[in-house]
Amino acid sequence: MSSSTLADQLIEVLLEAGVARIYGVVGDSLNPLVEAVRRAGRPEWVHVRNEEAGAFAAAAEAQLTGRLAVCAGSCGPGNNHLIQGLYDAHRTGAPVLAIASHIPSLQVGLDFFQETHPERLFVECSGYCELISQAGQMPRVARSAVRHALARGDVSVLAISGDVLHRSPVDPTGTTDVLIAKAIANPPTEQVQALAERLNTAGTVALFCGAGVENAHAEVMQLAGKLGSPIGHTLRGKEWIQYDNPYDVGMSGLLGYGACYEAIHEADLLVLLGTDFPYQDFLPGRHTVQVDHDATRLGRRTPLELAVHGDVALTLRAVLPRVQQKEDRSFLDRMLRKHADALEHVVSAYTHDIEHHLPIHPEYAARLLDAVASEDAVFTVDTGMNNVWAARYITPNGRRRVIGSFRHGSMANALPHAIGAQLAYPGRQVISMSGDGGLGMLLGELLTVALYKLPVKIVTFNNSALGMVKLEMLVDGLPDYQTGNGSFDYAAIAQAAGIHSMRVEQPGDVKAALTEALAHPGPALVDLVTDADALSIPPHITAAQVKGFALAAGKVVLDGGVGEMLELARANLRNVPRPTIAR
Ligand SMILES: Cc1ncc(C[n+]2csc(CCOP(=O)(O)OP(=O)(O)O)c2C)c(N)n1
Ligand SMILES: [Mg+2]
């Protein structure tokens, strides 16, 4: 291929790196790149409605496939929209390249129309952020951006003015081998030995797993079997470790459930495996060892007795032959009983006898969604209460994927994540678990789904509220304020865009509606009218938080909101775990 512009060269570099599509909105400074895509006939240009959604879609594609995904924004405002999704990709470790086109190069520094400084703007949400201002920088700087994104699992940003994209190349594009497989961190032998000794001398051991246990399921099970260890997990670790796991004691954190908290606090030794779990209040702060492939994470959340730098699977494979079998399973059995008991009284309480509960109980709906979804579905989960419903009800099996903005915590991620997931896996069932607040925030992306006839299934948990914030205010002792979203019929909105849609108000209709939507060959939306007072109380609320709960109740009652608070109390009675208050 002979490249007549730097834009052509950039496209050639992207094609060489296996890039299948670019998510973006065309315009002004970006047009030379768009023209290069048109001439080459690839990669596919995906016309999103908001560049933020383009960056989220690229983030989902990259984290699901492990391959480079690309988004683009035109100068100034088009660039700015990318930021949220790029933060999400950056913090998730997704290899994403953003092409940020820039104002005319001769105008930089003169407060020109749409002027920003992309090479400064994107520094915080990327690992590589460079300006191409000379034809001779190509193709090397473009390749460097690709390499940084793939090698570090991070965002790269290339800022380039439209007039520079239009220039003639001075160097040929050529070809080069593109990084496909990365080396895996092998732990030093001394650390493996020290870990084995620590495991052997400890009385009881608990394992706490994060996303770094991907590819280490068998090794973690073997270790737990030898040590008689309960296994807890984080939100991101759940999809890799909770299935086929006879040692499972649930999840810790604000959205947690089960006996994970007890297990990791009561064990003589806590082993953190591939987790950067950020909430130190949920960790014991003592008797802890940590294994992570990224040495910068070791000890940053909690003091360590031993820091092991290594990939989790490789480290466990090395340590397992040196670990002695522990015969006493009583700690494990006690924790498993506690876990079952907690589930019985917390999670199950919601899903029994609520077929008639109005408005629809979200946990009931989430359980049905779990039951009817396919075995290899990709769930994308909005930030908000959907995180809780997905964490508690979507059953992992090693083939399903559950992704969300779990590290960055941005709203409105689920639908654009679903767009990226569906384009990456056209034949797979992709389900967006959307909040009504989240869907409303990037509502325009319904049009992207409709335009491309993407068979994404959107399930809206429509509680007409910023439900998660309602809960926060309650726990903080604040009266509920400005959390109402208004009641809107998202099925009617989607229907108007040509999306097969259903609005469901009766709990008895949920299963049939979900089943029908999932079977529909094209895009479909199910708008579930759910209970805004179905709040989730974490299994370890502090005494102060309970006081806050009472205080909020008092304030709302005094403000005349008795009815609402009564409903809230009734809904929560079924959810307050029995061994409730952490001292
Ligand atoms: C972009 C952004 N704005 C605000 C927040 C704070 N926030 C977190 S969850 C949430 C409410 C989400 O509401 P909705 O999508 O309706 O979900 P629900 O919790 O009601 O299920 C808000 C406002 C955020 N995380 N991200
Ligand atoms: Mg809501």
Side-chain angles (χ1 to χ4, degrees), residues 169-476:
V170 294
D171 293 317
T173 310
T175 59
T176 184
D177 191 21
V178 181
L179 174 75
I180 301 294
K182 286 193 281 180
I184 303 173
N186 225 332
T189 315
E190 315 81 67
Q191 286 182 312
V192 172
Q193 186 53 35
L195 178 60
E197 279 162 22
R198 195 65 194 84
L199 294 172
N200 288 334
T201 51
T204 56
V205 182
L207 310 180
F208 186 51
C209 300
V213 300
E214 178 186 358
N215 304 324
H217 189 278
E219 290 82 358
V220 175
M221 293 308 136
Q222 281 175 42
L223 185 67
K226 275 195 151 177
L227 297 171
S229 296
I231 302 176
H233 56 78
T234 66
L235 180 57
R236 293 183 74 218
K238 175 166 172 142
E239 62 174 336
W240 304 118
I241 208 67
Q242 201 232 336
Y243 67 97
D244 296 342
N245 180 348
Y247 313 98
D248 178 39
V249 290
M251 194 171 99
S252 191
L254 287 166
L255 315 180
Y257 59 89
C260 180
Y261 185 95
E262 280 88 349
I264 67 181
H265 280 76
E266 290 181 29
D268 296 334
L269 181 69
L270 169 63
V271 185
L272 303 177
L273 294 174
T275 174
D276 192 29
F277 181 74
Y279 301 103
Q280 66 195 46
D281 290 351
F282 287 85
L283 295 172
R286 61 191 161 78
H287 307 322
T288 304
V289 305
Q290 183 176 3
V291 180
D292 205 290
H293 74 102
D294 180 349
T296 67
R297 293 176 182 163
L298 295 169
R300 81 168 160 189
R301 308 295 179 190
T302 188
L304 298 179
E305 288 183 4
L306 178 65
V308 183
H309 179 210
D311 169 75
V312 173
L314 284 189
T315 303
L316 297 194
R317 257 177 251 160
V319 84
L320 272 164
R322 305 173 197 224
V323 174
Q324 291 146 14
Q325 179 72 44
K326 291 192 195 299
E327 301 305 335
D328 185 358
R329 268 185 60 112
S330 57
F331 175 64
L332 171 62
D333 290 343
R334 190 158 60 82
M335 291 302 138
L336 290 176
R337 264 196 306 276
K338 269 195 176 211
H339 181 60
D341 195 42
L343 285 193
E344 196 64 46
H345 290 90
V346 181
V347 179
S348 314
Y350 264 133
T351 50
H352 286 152
D353 304 321
I354 57 170
E355 292 84 349
H356 309 292
H357 181 93
L358 272 173
I360 296 165
H361 206 288
E363 299 200 32
Y364 169 68
R367 192 190 62 167
L368 291 178
L369 179 62
D370 181 54
V372 296
S374 71
E375 289 295 289
D376 69 341
V378 178
F379 295 86
T380 63
V381 185
D382 252 349
T383 297
M385 296 309 290
N386 273 290
N387 280 162
V388 183
W389 315 144
R392 294 188 174 187
Y393 293 99
I394 302 306
T395 313
N397 58 11
R399 290 195 289 142
R400 284 179 168 181
R401 292 298 315 268
V402 181
I403 63 167
S405 187
F406 297 151
R407 286 180 75 100
H408 184 49
S410 172
M411 279 172 72
N413 59 291
L415 180 57
H417 273 164
I419 290 171
Q422 191 74 79
L423 283 160
Y425 297 106
R428 204 160 159 183
Q429 190 177 79
V430 175
I431 301 171
S432 172
M433 293 177 68
S434 297
D436 58 311
L439 184 66
M441 198 174 262
L442 283 176
L443 189 63
E445 298 314 315
L446 283 179
L447 306 182
T448 308
V449 169
L451 180 69
Y452 289 93
K453 297 189 172 48
L454 290 175
V456 165
K457 312 305 176 210
I458 304 152
V459 181
T460 313
F461 287 73
N462 185 355
N463 55 10
S464 303
L466 301 170
M468 176 65 99
V469 182
K470 254 171 114 75
L471 175 64
E472 288 166 2
M473 288 178 173
L474 187 81
V475 170
D476 282 346

Side-chain angles (χ1 to χ4, degrees), residues 561-583:
V562 181
E564 191 190 340
M565 187 46 67
L566 195 61
E567 285 311 305
L568 196 67
R570 280 187 186 150
N572 279 325
L573 265 185
R574 284 168 290 158
N575 196 32
V576 173
R578 282 202 307 165
T580 41
I581 302 168
R583 286 149 301 272

Side-chain angles (χ1 to χ4, degrees), residues 29-290:
S29 46
L30 206 49
N31 289 347
L33 186 82
V34 178
E35 169 57 13
V37 171
R38 190 191 65 78
R39 276 202 303 271
R42 356 174 247 148
E44 180 186 9
W45 186 275
V46 180
H47 176 179
V48 289
R49 300 291 150 154
N50 183 325
E51 295 85 349
E52 174 177 336
F56 271 124
E61 182 181 326
Q63 70 176 295
L64 289 169
T65 65
R67 293 195 301 269
L68 185 70
V70 178
C71 56
S74 59
C75 61
N79 277 207
N80 291 357
H81 268 180
L82 291 170
I83 283 190
Q84 190 80 279
L86 291 185
Y87 264 97
D88 182 65
H90 174 60
R91 308 203 65 198
T92 307
V96 168
L97 171 68
I99 300 167
S101 69
H102 199 4
I103 61 163
S105 54
L106 289 178
Q107 300 294 348
V108 172
L110 298 170
D111 197 16
F112 191 66
F113 176 63
Q114 297 188 323
E115 181 165 356
T116 61
H117 295 88
E119 76 284 11
R120 291 187 215 155
L121 188 69
F122 293 106
V123 165
E124 195 181 312
C125 59
S126 65
Y128 182 92
C129 181
E130 299 295 343
L131 177 73
I132 296 181
S133 53
Q134 299 285 328
Q137 288 174 275
M138 285 287 268
R140 285 193 300 162
V141 175
R143 287 212 170 94
S144 187
V146 167
R147 218 170 279 126
H148 272 79
L150 288 170
R152 297 191 178 156
D154 203 347
V155 170
S156 286
V157 179
L158 282 179
I160 183 163
S161 292
D163 56 295
V164 178
L165 277 168
H166 226 53
R167 285 186 203 159
S168 302
V170 294
D171 293 317
T173 310
T175 59
T176 184
D177 191 21
V178 181
L179 174 75
I180 301 294
K182 286 193 281 180
I184 303 173
N186 225 332
T189 315
E190 315 81 67
Q191 286 182 312
V192 172
Q193 186 53 35
L195 178 60
E197 279 162 22
R198 195 65 194 84
L199 294 172
N200 288 334
T201 51
T204 56
V205 182
L207 310 180
F208 186 51
C209 300
V213 300
E214 178 186 358
N215 304 324
H217 189 278
E219 290 82 358
V220 175
M221 293 308 136
Q222 281 175 42
L223 185 67
K226 275 195 151 177
L227 297 171
S229 296
I231 302 176
H233 56 78
T234 66
L235 180 57
R236 293 183 74 218
K238 175 166 172 142
E239 62 174 336
W240 304 118
I241 208 67
Q242 201 232 336
Y243 67 97
D244 296 342
N245 180 348
Y247 313 98
D248 178 39
V249 290
M251 194 171 99
S252 191
L254 287 166
L255 315 180
Y257 59 89
C260 180
Y261 185 95
E262 280 88 349
I264 67 181
H265 280 76
E266 290 181 29
D268 296 334
L269 181 69
L270 169 63
V271 185
L272 303 177
L273 294 174
T275 174
D276 192 29
F277 181 74
Y279 301 103
Q280 66 195 46
D281 290 351
F282 287 85
L283 295 172
R286 61 191 161 78
H287 307 322
T288 304
V289 305
Q290 183 176 3

